[in-house]
């Protein structure tokens, strides 16, 4: 009985140690998974922010292109209306 009791006690101690090791390993895995999930969520937020910024820049770019076209047309009209920018063929007039 005493030997049987000691064997059972030793087995119980070993099982408890094994269970503690498994629990510790599970805890490490859980912490790693939690860290990775948080990292993925942070990267998703960063991607969303960058996508929003790209959309804003595209919109601003289109707006500026449109404004440049209007200004270019305005400058062309001013130049064609001004005598300073008129092309003159002085050689043919002198002949």
């Amino acid at each position: 009985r005493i030997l049987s009791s000691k064997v059972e006690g030793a087995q119980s101690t070993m099982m408890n140690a094994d269970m503690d090791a498994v629990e510790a390993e599970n805890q490490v895995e859980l912490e790693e998974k939690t860290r990775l999930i948080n990292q993925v969520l942070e990267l998703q937020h960063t991607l969303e922010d960058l996508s929003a910024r790209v959309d804003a820049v595209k919109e601003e770019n289109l707006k500026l292109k449109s404004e440049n076209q209007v200004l270019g047309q305005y400058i062309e009209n001013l130049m064609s209306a001004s005598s300073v920018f008129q092309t003159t063929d002085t050689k043919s007039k002198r002949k």
Side-chain angles (χ1 to χ4, degrees), residues 39-69:
Q39 189 176 12
V40 166
L41 290 173
E42 184 179 335
L43 289 171
Q44 282 179 335
H45 293 305
T46 301
L47 180 59
E48 288 171 359
D49 293 343
L50 288 172
S51 293
R53 178 71 179 131
V54 166
D55 290 341
V57 168
K58 282 181 179 179
E59 189 175 314
E60 181 70 15
N61 187 36
L62 288 173
K63 182 179 166 187
L64 290 173
K65 279 183 179 181
S66 176
E67 289 176 4
N68 281 345
Q69 286 176 341

Side-chain angles (χ1 to χ4, degrees), residues 5-6 13 16 23 30 33 37 44 46 49-50 52 54 56 68-71 74 82-83 87-88 94-95:
S5 166
K6 286 184 179 181
T13 303
N16 285 342
E23 274 186 40
L30 181 62
K33 285 179 183 178
I37 288 170
Q44 282 179 335
T46 301
D49 293 343
L50 288 172
V54 166
N68 281 345
Q69 286 176 341
V70 169
L71 288 173
Y74 177 72
S82 172
S83 61
T87 58
T88 55
R94 290 183 184 170
K95 289 183 181 179

Side-chain angles (χ1 to χ4, degrees), residues 4 10 32 36 42 44 55 68 76-78 80 87:
S4 173
E32 179 68 9
L36 288 172
E42 184 179 335
Q44 282 179 335
D55 290 341
N68 281 345
E76 279 183 39
N77 291 343
L78 285 176
S80 66
T87 58

